[in-house]
Amino acid sequence: MKDKLLEVSAIKDGTVIDHIPADSLFKVISILRLEKNDGMITFGTNLESKKLGKKAIIKLSGIFFKDKDINRIALIAPEAKLNIIRNYNVIEKKVVEVPDEINGIAKCVNPVCITNHEKIPTKFIVVDKRDIALRCIYCEKITDKEHIEII
Amino acid sequence: MKNKSLVSIVDFSKTDYLKILSTAAEFEKNSYQNLLNGKVIATLFFEPSTRTRLSFESAINRLGGRVIGFTDSSSSSVTKGETLYDTIRVISNYSELIVMRHPLEGSARYASEITQLPVINAGDGANQHPTQTLLDLYSIQKTQGKLNNLNIVMVGDLKYGRTVHSLLMALSEFDANFYFISPDELKMPDEYKLHLEKTGLSYHESRDLDDTINEADIIYMTRVQKERFSDPIEYEKTRNAYVLKNDMLKGTRNNTKVLHPLPRVNEIDIGVDMNPKAYYFEQTENGVYVRQAIISLILGLKS
Ligand SMILES: [Zn+2]
């Protein structure tokens, strides 16, 4: 049987991030700042997925994430699943969870929001976890998934 | 309420609203009370709003307080590029309470995080202006003798009008029936309608004021601004439909009152001014008592 995780290439130790919507792949790479990482990284995209239509997978050799860092991708890849690999085996599976609050990750969509004029870490209440809608605690405006810009 | 900032109308509870209204009624009977006794209050107007500023300053003066501050950002260090953070930190050393108006949305919330002092939001862009809402509530209670189960007809720009949004949130605590009268382009946003549905309250939408005006206890007028329309022809077609004229009040209830946050442009014909149902000028007077109440409750000078 063909293991989906192996479609790109197997890794010995590291993290596999699966179920990334294909069109969010490059955003995920940038949010996790993978371009600055010197570990071996492979990714596959436009893979077929029943759930997402087209999905992407990233395999990161020797790279492990803190929950706090992984939360950052929940905004654009809420269905993402993490497989932690040790010695070619999945030793732990994690789902990416959309937190109740998002601090300092996204930009407020409102051009006249104070956070876009002074150096303030943004703060949002997640008002819709499924479709992703964030309410800025400052200007009270909603930033929806379509307009999320990652800082 | 002691030491609490008033940034957004939802920061306060129904109990708080009622406490503010009953305290405002005391000030209406006896407005000059030396409760502040020389205490200093900062009024920081990063954009000019003469009406609101004078109302606050009148309230502070009647309470025996002193005012420091500025009337627009050109007369302050803000023009020299000082951040809001620095301004608030500095002013915090000079006063007991900060009243601020600022063109950027969320600025008052941010200020309340910077300082230990309570902050009263006197308007942050198009976002919130909670003391306006409280004076609206006071005016409604005073003229109707109650706040519960009233028919509230909101007219004009219901999309961008922050006063109608905040008033809706506050009145939804009092089982109001809402009538939204606006052109299609300026309808009440879904999030507020959804809030009413969740609260179990009814609302009606119409483009035509004549449909519902005779049902109104309160007619709350707002300005319809040309720049809000994507199509200028649409503006020209609809502008007169949202102008209140004296003869339109003929069939209205005896208790009906017309409110408006002011300043008006042409949406209430001056012919209405002499009608006893016109209440918008008295409404501004109420603002002073309500602001006296808010300041004294927040500073713990009344309980
Ligand atoms: Zn904002």
Side-chain angles (χ1 to χ4, degrees), chain A residues 15-52:
Chain A
T15 307
V16 175
I17 309 172
D18 195 4
H19 296 285
I20 300 165
D23 54 5
S24 298
L25 171 66
F26 291 97
K27 267 192 188 165
V28 168
I29 290 172
S30 118
I31 291 169
L32 295 175
R33 302 202 172 91
L34 298 181
E35 74 279 7
K36 295 200 175 100
N37 206 299
D38 47 18
M40 191 179 75
I41 301 165
T42 48
F43 62 82
T45 187
N46 293 328
L47 308 173
E48 271 181 40
S49 158
K50 278 188 193 122
K51 222 174 181 179
L52 301 167

Short mmCIF file of all heavy atoms in Angstrom, two decimals, chain A residues 15-52:
data_model
loop_
_atom_site.label_atom_id
_atom_site.label_comp_id
_atom_site.label_asym_id
_atom_site.label_seq_id
_atom_site.Cartn_x
_atom_site.Cartn_y
_atom_site.Cartn_z
N THR A 15 9.65 16.75 10.79
CA THR A 15 8.22 17.04 10.84
C THR A 15 7.64 17.00 9.43
O THR A 15 8.26 17.52 8.50
CB THR A 15 7.98 18.45 11.44
OG1 THR A 15 8.66 18.55 12.68
CG2 THR A 15 6.50 18.73 11.66
N VAL A 16 6.48 16.39 9.32
CA VAL A 16 5.75 16.45 8.05
C VAL A 16 4.48 17.25 8.30
O VAL A 16 3.72 16.94 9.22
CB VAL A 16 5.40 15.04 7.54
CG1 VAL A 16 4.53 15.13 6.29
CG2 VAL A 16 6.65 14.23 7.28
N ILE A 17 4.30 18.27 7.53
CA ILE A 17 3.06 19.05 7.65
C ILE A 17 2.19 18.69 6.46
O ILE A 17 2.53 18.94 5.31
CB ILE A 17 3.33 20.57 7.66
CG1 ILE A 17 4.39 20.93 8.70
CG2 ILE A 17 2.04 21.33 7.94
CD1 ILE A 17 4.85 22.38 8.64
N ASP A 18 1.06 18.07 6.76
CA ASP A 18 0.17 17.56 5.73
C ASP A 18 -1.13 18.37 5.74
O ASP A 18 -1.42 19.09 6.69
CB ASP A 18 -0.10 16.08 6.02
CG ASP A 18 -0.72 15.37 4.83
OD1 ASP A 18 -0.84 16.00 3.76
OD2 ASP A 18 -1.06 14.18 4.96
N HIS A 19 -1.90 18.19 4.70
CA HIS A 19 -3.21 18.84 4.58
C HIS A 19 -3.13 20.36 4.59
O HIS A 19 -3.93 21.04 5.23
CB HIS A 19 -4.18 18.34 5.66
CG HIS A 19 -4.49 16.89 5.51
ND1 HIS A 19 -5.33 16.40 4.54
CD2 HIS A 19 -4.04 15.80 6.17
CE1 HIS A 19 -5.39 15.09 4.62
NE2 HIS A 19 -4.61 14.69 5.61
N ILE A 20 -2.15 20.86 3.89
CA ILE A 20 -2.08 22.31 3.67
C ILE A 20 -2.84 22.59 2.38
O ILE A 20 -2.60 21.93 1.37
CB ILE A 20 -0.61 22.74 3.48
CG1 ILE A 20 0.22 22.40 4.73
CG2 ILE A 20 -0.50 24.23 3.15
CD1 ILE A 20 1.73 22.47 4.49
N PRO A 21 -3.78 23.53 2.38
CA PRO A 21 -4.43 23.86 1.11
C PRO A 21 -3.35 24.29 0.10
O PRO A 21 -2.46 25.07 0.44
CB PRO A 21 -5.34 25.05 1.45
CG PRO A 21 -5.49 25.03 2.94
CD PRO A 21 -4.26 24.39 3.48
N ALA A 22 -3.43 23.73 -1.10
CA ALA A 22 -2.34 23.95 -2.08
C ALA A 22 -2.04 25.43 -2.28
O ALA A 22 -0.89 25.83 -2.36
CB ALA A 22 -2.71 23.29 -3.40
N ASP A 23 -3.11 26.25 -2.28
CA ASP A 23 -2.85 27.67 -2.55
C ASP A 23 -2.26 28.41 -1.35
O ASP A 23 -1.95 29.60 -1.43
CB ASP A 23 -4.11 28.37 -3.08
CG ASP A 23 -5.30 28.19 -2.15
OD1 ASP A 23 -5.12 27.61 -1.05
OD2 ASP A 23 -6.40 28.63 -2.52
N SER A 24 -2.14 27.73 -0.21
CA SER A 24 -1.53 28.38 0.95
C SER A 24 -0.09 27.94 1.20
O SER A 24 0.55 28.39 2.15
CB SER A 24 -2.35 28.09 2.21
OG SER A 24 -3.64 28.60 2.09
N LEU A 25 0.40 27.06 0.34
CA LEU A 25 1.73 26.48 0.58
C LEU A 25 2.81 27.53 0.78
O LEU A 25 3.58 27.50 1.74
CB LEU A 25 2.11 25.54 -0.57
CG LEU A 25 3.56 25.04 -0.52
CD1 LEU A 25 3.80 24.14 0.69
CD2 LEU A 25 3.92 24.31 -1.81
N PHE A 26 2.87 28.47 -0.13
CA PHE A 26 3.97 29.43 -0.07
C PHE A 26 3.81 30.41 1.11
O PHE A 26 4.79 30.86 1.67
CB PHE A 26 4.15 30.14 -1.41
CG PHE A 26 4.67 29.18 -2.45
CD1 PHE A 26 3.79 28.55 -3.34
CD2 PHE A 26 6.01 28.83 -2.48
CE1 PHE A 26 4.26 27.63 -4.26
CE2 PHE A 26 6.48 27.90 -3.39
CZ PHE A 26 5.61 27.29 -4.30
N LYS A 27 2.56 30.64 1.50
CA LYS A 27 2.32 31.45 2.70
C LYS A 27 2.81 30.71 3.94
O LYS A 27 3.42 31.30 4.84
CB LYS A 27 0.83 31.77 2.84
CG LYS A 27 0.44 33.08 2.22
CD LYS A 27 -0.97 33.45 2.67
CE LYS A 27 -1.47 34.67 1.91
NZ LYS A 27 -2.92 34.82 2.05
N VAL A 28 2.54 29.41 3.99
CA VAL A 28 2.99 28.61 5.13
C VAL A 28 4.52 28.64 5.22
O VAL A 28 5.09 28.83 6.29
CB VAL A 28 2.47 27.16 5.02
CG1 VAL A 28 3.15 26.24 6.03
CG2 VAL A 28 0.96 27.12 5.22
N ILE A 29 5.15 28.49 4.07
CA ILE A 29 6.62 28.53 4.04
C ILE A 29 7.13 29.86 4.58
O ILE A 29 8.06 29.91 5.38
CB ILE A 29 7.12 28.30 2.59
CG1 ILE A 29 6.86 26.84 2.20
CG2 ILE A 29 8.61 28.64 2.45
CD1 ILE A 29 7.11 26.52 0.73
N SER A 30 6.45 30.91 4.20
CA SER A 30 6.92 32.22 4.65
C SER A 30 6.61 32.47 6.13
O SER A 30 7.42 33.02 6.86
CB SER A 30 6.40 33.31 3.71
OG SER A 30 5.57 34.21 4.38
N ILE A 31 5.43 32.03 6.59
CA ILE A 31 5.08 32.22 8.01
C ILE A 31 6.05 31.47 8.92
O ILE A 31 6.46 31.96 9.97
CB ILE A 31 3.64 31.74 8.30
CG1 ILE A 31 2.64 32.65 7.63
CG2 ILE A 31 3.37 31.69 9.80
CD1 ILE A 31 1.24 32.10 7.64
N LEU A 32 6.41 30.27 8.50
CA LEU A 32 7.32 29.46 9.33
C LEU A 32 8.79 29.83 9.09
O LEU A 32 9.69 29.26 9.67
CB LEU A 32 7.10 27.96 9.05
CG LEU A 32 5.72 27.44 9.45
CD1 LEU A 32 5.56 25.98 9.03
CD2 LEU A 32 5.48 27.56 10.95
N ARG A 33 8.97 30.81 8.25
CA ARG A 33 10.31 31.33 7.90
C ARG A 33 11.25 30.21 7.45
O ARG A 33 12.41 30.12 7.86
CB ARG A 33 10.91 32.08 9.10
CG ARG A 33 10.02 33.23 9.54
CD ARG A 33 10.76 34.28 10.32
NE ARG A 33 9.91 35.43 10.55
CZ ARG A 33 9.12 35.58 11.64
NH1 ARG A 33 9.14 34.66 12.58
NH2 ARG A 33 8.37 36.63 11.77
N LEU A 34 10.72 29.34 6.64
CA LEU A 34 11.51 28.17 6.22
C LEU A 34 12.63 28.55 5.28
O LEU A 34 13.62 27.83 5.15
CB LEU A 34 10.59 27.13 5.56
CG LEU A 34 9.50 26.55 6.48
CD1 LEU A 34 8.68 25.51 5.73
CD2 LEU A 34 10.10 25.94 7.74
N GLU A 35 12.48 29.69 4.64
CA GLU A 35 13.55 30.10 3.71
C GLU A 35 14.85 30.39 4.48
O GLU A 35 15.93 30.37 3.90
CB GLU A 35 13.11 31.30 2.86
CG GLU A 35 13.06 32.64 3.56
CD GLU A 35 11.79 32.89 4.39
OE1 GLU A 35 10.99 31.94 4.53
OE2 GLU A 35 11.61 34.01 4.89
N LYS A 36 14.70 30.62 5.79
CA LYS A 36 15.90 30.91 6.58
C LYS A 36 16.45 29.65 7.25
O LYS A 36 17.40 29.71 8.02
CB LYS A 36 15.58 31.96 7.66
CG LYS A 36 15.21 33.30 7.04
CD LYS A 36 15.36 34.43 8.04
CE LYS A 36 15.11 35.77 7.38
NZ LYS A 36 13.77 36.29 7.65
N ASN A 37 15.78 28.54 6.98
CA ASN A 37 16.16 27.31 7.65
C ASN A 37 17.13 26.52 6.78
O ASN A 37 16.94 26.41 5.56
CB ASN A 37 14.89 26.48 7.87
CG ASN A 37 15.05 25.57 9.04
OD1 ASN A 37 15.92 24.70 9.03
ND2 ASN A 37 14.24 25.77 10.05
N ASP A 38 18.20 25.97 7.37
CA ASP A 38 19.13 25.25 6.50
C ASP A 38 18.97 23.73 6.55
O ASP A 38 19.78 22.98 6.02
CB ASP A 38 20.59 25.69 6.72
CG ASP A 38 20.96 25.77 8.19
OD1 ASP A 38 20.21 25.16 8.98
OD2 ASP A 38 21.95 26.43 8.53
N GLY A 39 17.90 23.27 7.22
CA GLY A 39 17.60 21.84 7.18
C GLY A 39 17.09 21.45 5.80
O GLY A 39 16.72 22.31 4.99
N MET A 40 17.05 20.14 5.52
CA MET A 40 16.55 19.70 4.22
C MET A 40 15.03 19.78 4.20
O MET A 40 14.35 19.24 5.07
CB MET A 40 17.01 18.26 3.96
CG MET A 40 16.76 17.84 2.54
SD MET A 40 17.32 16.14 2.26
CE MET A 40 16.04 15.22 3.07
N ILE A 41 14.52 20.51 3.23
CA ILE A 41 13.08 20.68 3.14
C ILE A 41 12.61 20.26 1.76
O ILE A 41 13.17 20.67 0.74
CB ILE A 41 12.70 22.17 3.35
CG1 ILE A 41 13.17 22.65 4.73
CG2 ILE A 41 11.19 22.38 3.19
CD1 ILE A 41 13.18 24.15 4.89
N THR A 42 11.59 19.40 1.75
CA THR A 42 10.99 19.07 0.45
C THR A 42 9.50 19.35 0.55
O THR A 42 8.91 19.27 1.62
CB THR A 42 11.19 17.59 0.09
OG1 THR A 42 10.82 16.79 1.21
CG2 THR A 42 12.62 17.29 -0.29
N PHE A 43 8.93 19.74 -0.55
CA PHE A 43 7.48 19.89 -0.52
C PHE A 43 6.86 19.40 -1.81
O PHE A 43 7.52 19.30 -2.85
CB PHE A 43 7.07 21.33 -0.21
CG PHE A 43 7.51 22.35 -1.22
CD1 PHE A 43 6.79 22.55 -2.39
CD2 PHE A 43 8.63 23.14 -0.99
CE1 PHE A 43 7.18 23.50 -3.32
CE2 PHE A 43 9.03 24.08 -1.91
CZ PHE A 43 8.31 24.26 -3.08
N GLY A 44 5.62 19.03 -1.67
CA GLY A 44 4.85 18.63 -2.85
C GLY A 44 3.56 19.41 -2.84
O GLY A 44 3.01 19.70 -1.77
N THR A 45 3.12 19.77 -4.01
CA THR A 45 1.87 20.53 -4.02
C THR A 45 0.95 20.05 -5.15
O THR A 45 1.37 19.26 -6.00
CB THR A 45 2.13 22.04 -4.11
OG1 THR A 45 0.88 22.73 -3.95
CG2 THR A 45 2.76 22.45 -5.44
N ASN A 46 -0.29 20.50 -5.09
CA ASN A 46 -1.33 20.05 -6.01
C ASN A 46 -1.54 18.54 -5.96
O ASN A 46 -1.88 17.92 -6.95
CB ASN A 46 -1.02 20.51 -7.44
CG ASN A 46 -1.11 22.03 -7.55
OD1 ASN A 46 -1.91 22.65 -6.86
ND2 ASN A 46 -0.28 22.62 -8.39
N LEU A 47 -1.34 17.98 -4.77
CA LEU A 47 -1.65 16.57 -4.56
C LEU A 47 -3.15 16.46 -4.33
O LEU A 47 -3.77 17.37 -3.80
CB LEU A 47 -0.90 16.05 -3.33
CG LEU A 47 0.62 16.33 -3.32
CD1 LEU A 47 1.23 15.91 -1.99
CD2 LEU A 47 1.30 15.57 -4.46
N GLU A 48 -3.69 15.32 -4.73
CA GLU A 48 -5.13 15.20 -4.58
C GLU A 48 -5.53 14.95 -3.14
O GLU A 48 -4.86 14.23 -2.41
CB GLU A 48 -5.64 14.07 -5.47
CG GLU A 48 -5.96 14.65 -6.84
CD GLU A 48 -6.49 13.61 -7.78
OE1 GLU A 48 -7.28 12.77 -7.34
OE2 GLU A 48 -6.09 13.66 -8.96
N SER A 49 -6.61 15.61 -2.73
CA SER A 49 -7.11 15.43 -1.38
C SER A 49 -8.62 15.45 -1.42
O SER A 49 -9.22 16.33 -2.05
CB SER A 49 -6.59 16.57 -0.49
OG SER A 49 -7.41 16.72 0.65
N LYS A 50 -9.24 14.47 -0.76
CA LYS A 50 -10.71 14.41 -0.74
C LYS A 50 -11.25 15.62 0.00
O LYS A 50 -12.28 16.18 -0.33
CB LYS A 50 -11.16 13.12 -0.05
CG LYS A 50 -11.13 11.95 -1.01
CD LYS A 50 -11.77 10.72 -0.38
CE LYS A 50 -11.46 9.50 -1.20
NZ LYS A 50 -10.76 8.45 -0.44
N LYS A 51 -10.52 15.99 1.05
CA LYS A 51 -10.99 17.05 1.93
C LYS A 51 -10.78 18.44 1.34
O LYS A 51 -11.63 19.30 1.41
CB LYS A 51 -10.22 16.95 3.24
CG LYS A 51 -11.05 17.16 4.49
CD LYS A 51 -10.15 16.87 5.68
CE LYS A 51 -10.85 17.02 7.00
NZ LYS A 51 -9.92 16.70 8.09
N LEU A 52 -9.61 18.64 0.76
CA LEU A 52 -9.22 20.00 0.37
C LEU A 52 -9.21 20.24 -1.14
O LEU A 52 -8.98 21.34 -1.59
CB LEU A 52 -7.81 20.31 0.91
CG LEU A 52 -7.63 20.25 2.43
CD1 LEU A 52 -6.15 20.26 2.78
CD2 LEU A 52 -8.34 21.39 3.12
#
